[in-house]
Amino acid sequence: MLRQTPKRVGRYFWNREVFLGLKLENLFSWSKSRHEKFMGCERAYFYHYYFSWGGWEREAPPLVGRVYTLKKRTNRYAWAGAIVHEAIRECLLKWLLGQPVHLAELTERTHNRMRSEFAASRGGLLKKPQSKPSFWGLVEHENNVEVSAQEWRDNWQTVETALKHFMDSAWPRRLQELDARQVLEADSKDFDSAYFLLDGIRVFAMPDVAFISSDGPVHIVDWKTGSPSDTNVEQVVGYALFVEARHALPALGARVSLVYLNQKTEESFSIDEAALHKFRAFFKASVEAMQAKLVHVESNTPQEASHFLKTTLPSKCVLCPFLKVCEAENGEGGVGV
């Protein structure tokens, strides 16, 4: 059972003086991934954004430190997507330097990386990372999920197919034609600074690539290894607002390309007033739902864990990094609300 209430954890962490005497605060922010976590399971959202806070500190209670480590885990599908994004980012950065990229070398290097990370995760070498690794292990290994060898091969196939389609598409040629001064964003790894303010709230956004087209408008491209969804459209409109805030280039009229690499399809459109209005309404509703779970909005202090409902879909729990903690809290090893 969880013996520490969220309130106790909150008093301990949310006003901690850390990092060279500076106060690190758990400020409320918004992102597409945060929205999806909240909609998927409120309790997992609570663990990720609130209970884990301060878990990086040496003096953190063991359970808080454990939950902080768990939130860094990823499942095989998200892992594949992240690998593809980083490989494409590597391509773009090389092209901006005038360096060639060969599909065979890119594929082999990516495959070797995944093999190495898979072995480290399966071997338990990432249970207690001593530094700040870029990869913290797979949820499947954490939760002892039975995944066949063929399913793991299929996951690699997703990556390999995505990279091949990318290299066979028109995008390498288009990106290589860009002058470095045209490129505004290239899937930056500096997440902490990748935000803009909307209605006084920090909105995190990391466009895969944003550049100034030869004929003027901003062009935003987002690579996808999954399937089309409405939230993908909302996401890229958010990217356009991020570019507007960061580079003083209007979101209105910006071009967007959603490239579904494994489906070999592409959705392109220009952002109009209706798209901006729809995003703002979506953002407002999402923020209101999240902040309804707070005791105090200004300090981002959450209600107790019981107010964050658990999903009733066991299929979501299997790939949740907090499964074991949640089961311990239940005291019954099952899914509850």
Side-chain angles (χ1 to χ4, degrees), residues 66-337:
R66 172 68 174 150
V67 172
Y68 174 75
T69 298
L70 290 174
K71 84 177 221 177
K72 300 290 188 176
R73 303 278 195 257
T74 187
N75 64 59
R76 63 188 184 276
Y77 306 111
W79 181 44
I83 289 286
V84 169
H85 279 78
E86 290 192 28
I88 293 177
R89 178 177 182 272
E90 176 188 324
C91 292
L92 175 57
L93 295 180
K94 284 190 173 183
W95 288 329
L96 290 176
L97 295 173
Q99 299 175 1
V101 175
H102 303 288
L103 177 59
E105 294 177 0
L106 177 67
T107 301
E108 182 180 10
R109 186 164 57 252
T110 303
H111 201 186
N112 288 338
R113 172 186 171 180
M114 291 187 74
R115 283 170 170 163
S116 176
E117 292 181 349
F118 176 85
S121 177
R122 183 176 59 180
L125 302 179
L126 299 167
K127 292 294 183 182
K128 294 182 179 180
Q130 299 301 310
S131 57
K132 293 184 178 180
S134 58
F135 176 71
W136 291 68
L138 294 160
V139 172
E140 287 83 349
H141 294 143
E142 178 69 44
N143 292 348
N144 300 314
V145 179
E146 291 187 12
V147 181
S148 68
Q150 184 58 52
E151 288 176 301
W152 286 116
R153 284 192 290 269
D154 290 344
N155 200 58
W156 157 245
Q157 188 66 50
T158 296
V159 174
E160 185 179 33
T161 300
L163 293 180
K164 185 178 187 305
H165 177 61
F166 169 73
M167 292 297 286
D168 288 344
S169 71
W171 283 107
R173 175 185 57 78
R174 295 183 66 180
L175 294 175
Q176 288 178 78
E177 290 174 350
L178 295 176
D179 183 282
R181 291 170 295 182
Q182 291 177 262
V183 179
L184 304 171
E185 301 290 334
D187 196 13
S188 171
K189 291 188 176 182
D190 185 16
F191 179 79
D192 290 339
S193 66
Y195 68 87
F196 67 101
L197 293 178
L198 182 61
D199 297 337
I201 293 172
R202 294 190 304 170
V203 177
F204 282 89
M206 298 182 72
D208 290 343
V209 60
F211 59 90
I212 301 174
S213 303
S214 56
D215 56 354
V218 170
H219 198 140
I220 297 168
V221 186
D222 197 39
W223 321 110
K224 297 294 184 185
T225 54
S227 302
S229 74
D230 290 341
T231 58
N232 290 342
V233 175
E234 304 299 346
Q235 181 181 27
V236 290
V237 174
Y239 288 165
L241 290 170
F242 169 77
V243 170
E244 178 178 83
R246 191 157 175 162
H247 301 281
L249 295 169
L252 184 64
R255 295 174 182 169
V256 169
S257 294
L258 282 162
V259 184
Y260 297 95
L261 295 168
N262 290 87
Q263 298 186 357
K264 300 182 180 180
T265 61
E266 187 171 319
E267 180 181 355
S268 298
F269 60 93
S270 293
I271 294 178
D272 55 18
E273 290 284 3
L276 292 173
H277 177 76
K278 184 178 179 182
F279 174 82
R280 288 180 178 276
F282 167 74
F283 167 77
K284 181 180 179 181
S286 178
V287 167
E288 287 177 351
M290 293 179 191
Q291 291 188 336
K293 298 291 182 175
L294 302 178
V295 174
H296 191 262
V297 172
E298 290 186 5
S299 64
N300 193 32
T301 303
Q303 298 178 26
E304 296 199 1
S306 59
H307 291 270
F308 292 80
L309 304 182
K310 298 180 181 181
T311 180
T312 57
L313 300 175
S315 59
K316 288 183 176 291
C317 298
V318 173
L319 294 181
C320 175
F322 309 114
L323 174 62
K324 292 179 181 178
V325 174
C326 196
E327 287 180 340
E329 182 184 5
N330 272 352
E332 56 189 34
V335 178
V337 293

